Amino acid sequence: MGKSIFQLHKKSFLTLVLAGVFVWSLFAVNWNGDLLHSGGFVTLGQMLGALFTPDLSSEILLIALESTWITVSYAVAGMMLAIIIAFFLGILASGIFFQNRFLKAIFRGILGFLRAIHELVWAWLFVASFGLSPYAAVFALALPFGGILGRIFADMLADVPKEPIQALKSTGASRWQLFFYGYFPIVRTGILSYTMYRFECGIRSSAIMSFVGLGGLGYQIQLSLDDLHYHEVWTFIFFLIAVVVLIDGWSSHLRNKMNHTTKHWFIPFSSLLTLVLLVGAWSYIYIVDRASFLELFSDKNLTYAKKFFSGMFGVGEENPAFFNWESWKTALSLTYDTLRMSVIAIGFATIVMFLTVLPAARNVANGKLTLTSRWYQWISFGIIRLSYIFSRAIPELVWAMAIIFILKPGILPGALALALHNFGILGKLCAEVVEDLDNRPIRHLASAGASKAQILIYGVLPSVLPQFLTYILYRWEVIMRTTIIVGFVGAGGLGQQFKLSMSFFHYTDITLLLLCYLILVWISDYISEWARKTARY
Amino acid sequence: MKKLLSISLILLVMFGLVACSGEDEKATEESKPKEVFKIGAIPDQNAADLNRSMDQIADYLAEKTDLEVEYVPSVDYAALVTAFERGEIHLAWFGGLTSVQAMSLVDGSEAIAQRPRDEEFHSVFIAQKGLNLKGIEDIKGLSFTFGSESSTSGHLMPRYYLMENGIDPEKDFDGEPNYSGSHDKTYKLVEAGTFQTGALNEAVWEGAVEEGLVDLNKVDVFYTTPSYYDYNWTINTVDDVFGKGTKDKVKEALLSMGADQQEMLDIFETDKFIETKNENYAAIEKVAKQLGIIK
């Protein structure tokens, strides 16, 4: 009996548990103490004041244009390698070529490892072992993005309906023929649209690569913030937003056109644009950056890489951190803080998302869903959608850098930075869910005289909640990976210690912190997958 | 049309692979270009000013030594130390701690020149004017920012003297201490009111006061540390790369800077460089070991 009650109310239980976890995590912050710096508000005022007067001198604009191009070219080059990685590993991990379960698990494991580590951590490791080279940025992007894309490719290939494949097989097609004429055409559109979506993320990641010393928009933002030139900071941020919005527009337009059966000029145009971008990006890296690929594997680099990695494994060190109980204790307490930081972050992002998601849905704004239409609905729709774009176009790291000027160091600034970036993403995803709602039941409620709040609780929530939960849990996984990044600039948790250890060349401490980080990422992936399954059935 | 798209995608991938391998061949065919003598500096103050002055110094060194000299900017202290270790930076303007890190990583690297003031360097502790702090003990319970975590005058020595005076930086402040990243940023953050107190390099502070960059009605010094050795030019094992006598040539060039080079010396708040040696930094190394920063 007990079990069946649980089965019946599984989703409500899950929601309750998640809400409980969020409340628990809030206790990690000492809310009684002054959270703001004594001058936090003053600094906030200065920053916001500069928002409306960005520095538009030609000198700054030129720098902004150049760094935008560097950012785009690293992203393009990184994505290309990511696609190659994803293509091969994805096929191997999908199990379409061989049914060996063991091999499949190995390749899935490799993909999982690649994406478990955040691109900035990869970048840091590459710079430390191979030196400052554009390839450090390109590879650092390629590995985790390859891991993510590869996993999606593998899932898509595994889900291909068996009948057409069977038909081809019976005509005696070879494995490669099966792949190119059977599997590939079926998954092509899906793969392409997901890749385009990832490209937009790649731009943001490429922008923050500069925090390990590789050029680009992030580098300029950091320099200007260091000199407290907020006017310049906004100029660079606006450029970043512009690129993200352009690519977002490109990708959604392309996805739209690909779903039509009729041919459209936009598709060949996109291919051409991709080609131009690729040629431009690689030639920039080869010619202007003068980055030689071969030099990466020179004896010198191999020696240093070996030195770096033997340092990390504690070769020759008397008391490596990972064999030291005291170090473990510190690291585990930081891990615990980091976990709470991630929960606070997703909690805040979710709350703000719930408050804004209805006015942000097109079908609410035009009154189709609720059968009421007011002139101000379009205005609030516009403002909220704009805030979504603003929120997600700015990388977490940049939010964190600004927030530590305002809030005291600790886990709250980190959590807020993560929340600020993610509420825009969550909002956009969830608003789209509302837009795709079956609007008949809700109209019924509205015509029966239900208020806005009643419509939300009885009409909208029940039908969108499972999908919302999936997105929230999925973003939580991403946030978990990113917690380490916001720590780099002093926003608490594992990342802060990671940065300090890097600065002091305490390599075995780095290994220990990475270990804790990986454990955290794996645990969160596991919990999230379990919870998503519970929400679905 | 979709076919065209996928074909072009495949072509792109192929192009990329071909481009990669093509580049490899080119790189091997090319005769090795003349090695460039690269100089660097820890980014401990306003990056724009530092870049300008270091470019001038690169030109000056090129003229004096007949080498091709280039300044390579870096975003953080540790990155410069790593580049120095890898031999990608031949001459670097380091702080005490970073030079100790560099000297321990590269056998045969040497501290060759410093400013007269670096023999007796100080850190200053600053606070918002209204707080009326009298001595270092008064700092308890206030918010505080260091400079970069790798800085000697902005972190290592201030931390050391805080602890000497019985203050635990992790516990006795209002919240954990912040790491601002640079000396400039430290006084600007205190002036802006973001933090109540901070510690920074005396030279940068004096320069800021002289040029009127800081508002003394808002922020002032309330404690100055005892003296220690700080900044220096550390040179890599350049004689192996550029031929015997290169180190001496570079050292000579640095030591002979004077009134004619005042414009580029301004960023260092000095009018000349004097000789120094590795042994001068033994005390810094000891403190760093004591604080667990160097193991």
Side-chain angles (χ1 to χ4, degrees), chain A residues 61-77 199 203 206 215-217 239 243 273-285 288-289:
Chain A
L61 286 180
L62 212 67
I63 297 178
L65 268 178
E66 197 198 335
S67 15
T68 306
W69 171 244
I70 295 179
T71 299
V72 171
S73 58
Y74 288 176
V76 169
F199 179 46
I203 293 281
S206 162
L217 274 174
F239 266 82
V243 181
L273 192 60
T274 317
L275 188 73
V276 169
L277 276 177
L278 274 173
V279 174
W282 283 109
S283 20
Y284 179 82
I285 292 170
V288 186
D289 264 5

Side-chain angles (χ1 to χ4, degrees), chain A residues 39 271 275 301 405 408 503 506, chain B residues 5 12 86 149 174 193 293:
Chain A
S271 315
L275 188 73
N301 269 343
F405 278 18
K408 285 179 185 162
S503 294
H506 293 173
Chain B
L5 190 63
L12 287 182
R86 302 167 49 83
E149 67 270 10
D174 181 18
I293 288 174

Side-chain angles (χ1 to χ4, degrees), chain B:
Chain B
M1 205 49 85
K2 277 184 188 171
K3 192 172 245 166
L4 186 77
L5 190 63
S6 47
I7 288 174
S8 58
L9 261 181
I10 290 167
L11 277 178
L12 287 182
V13 172
M14 305 250 282
F15 164 80
L17 291 174
V18 170
C20 285
S21 49
E23 187 58 29
D24 298 349
E25 282 155 28
K26 230 190 292 166
T28 41
E29 278 166 20
E30 262 171 8
S31 59
K32 259 205 149 169
K34 195 180 159 195
E35 188 87 38
V36 179
F37 189 87
K38 289 183 178 156
I39 64 173
I42 47 172
D44 69 339
Q45 42 184 319
N46 184 302
D49 296 344
L50 191 64
N51 289 356
R52 195 163 44 243
S53 303
M54 288 301 291
D55 280 338
Q56 290 172 344
I57 288 187
D59 292 345
Y60 167 81
L61 286 177
E63 188 195 319
K64 285 276 175 177
T65 59
D66 284 333
L67 293 164
E68 198 181 325
V69 187
E70 190 189 328
Y71 166 63
V72 184
S74 59
V75 282
D76 76 5
Y77 288 41
L80 185 67
V81 176
T82 309
F84 189 87
E85 180 196 358
R86 302 167 49 83
E88 283 159 12
I89 294 286
H90 300 105
L91 173 72
W93 177 249
F94 278 129
L97 174 59
T98 34
S99 81
V100 167
Q101 286 176 330
M103 287 187 274
S104 74
L105 287 169
V106 183
D107 274 339
S109 58
E110 218 178 289
I112 51 170
Q114 65 181 179
R115 303 167 298 186
R117 72 185 321 150
D118 291 316
E119 294 187 306
E120 270 187 62
F121 207 81
H122 306 270
S123 296
V124 293
F125 279 70
I126 55 171
Q128 288 166 12
K129 202 73 180 250
L131 295 166
N132 280 323
L133 301 190
K134 297 282 179 284
I136 193 160
E137 314 77 36
D138 297 346
I139 207 170
K140 281 191 183 178
L142 302 175
S143 60
F144 176 83
T145 179
F146 288 118
S148 161
E149 67 270 10
S150 303
S151 166
T152 311
S153 50
H155 175 217
L156 183 73
M157 297 316 275
R159 181 180 280 269
Y160 178 69
Y161 286 112
L162 280 168
M163 294 179 72
E164 287 281 282
N165 284 286
I167 298 158
D168 181 350
E170 305 305 321
K171 294 207 182 91
D172 292 340
F173 291 125
D174 181 18
E176 286 164 42
N178 181 57
Y179 295 94
S180 75
S182 79
H183 301 295
D184 274 354
K185 208 165 157 188
T186 300
Y187 75 72
K188 281 182 195 156
L189 289 175
V190 176
E191 185 187 12
T194 311
F195 290 92
Q196 290 169 309
T197 61
L200 73 147
N201 171 327
E202 188 185 38
V204 173
W205 171 255
E206 282 175 0
V209 172
E210 225 165 79
E211 287 168 48
L213 296 174
V214 56
D215 185 352
L216 291 175
N217 292 320
K218 285 187 180 157
V219 49
D220 208 356
V221 174
F222 67 96
Y223 172 75
T224 305
T225 64
S227 72
Y228 51 86
Y229 274 96
D230 202 349
Y231 293 81
N232 65 70
W233 287 103
T234 306
I235 194 158
N236 220 319
T237 51
V238 288
D239 286 2
D240 303 345
V241 186
F242 299 94
K244 258 202 153 34
T246 311
K247 185 191 284 179
D248 293 334
K249 258 197 299 186
V250 173
K251 187 171 174 179
E252 185 50 41
L254 286 173
L255 294 181
S256 62
M257 286 174 92
D260 292 343
Q261 288 77 38
Q262 193 52 50
E263 198 190 339
M264 46 188 112
L265 286 172
D266 273 346
I267 187 118
F268 299 102
E269 311 286 346
T270 188
D271 53 5
K272 64 173 177 189
F273 290 114
I274 58 166
E275 223 174 329
T276 188
K277 53 180 192 280
N278 289 9
E279 291 73 40
N280 290 345
Y281 295 89
I284 295 273
E285 194 177 352
K286 214 179 108 201
V287 172
K289 280 200 173 134
Q290 204 179 326
L291 297 179
I293 288 174
I294 295 182
K295 282 187 177 165

Side-chain angles (χ1 to χ4, degrees), chain A residues 362-364 366-371 433-447 455 459-460 463-464:
Chain A
R362 199 173 297 272
N363 52 351
V364 176
N366 62 20
K368 275 203 180 127
L369 192 68
T370 52
L371 296 177
V433 174
V434 176
E435 282 168 10
D436 293 341
L437 261 186
D438 179 1
N439 55 23
R440 284 167 305 187
I442 291 149
R443 281 189 185 188
H444 188 79
L445 267 177
S447 58
I455 292 177
V460 178
S463 34
V464 297

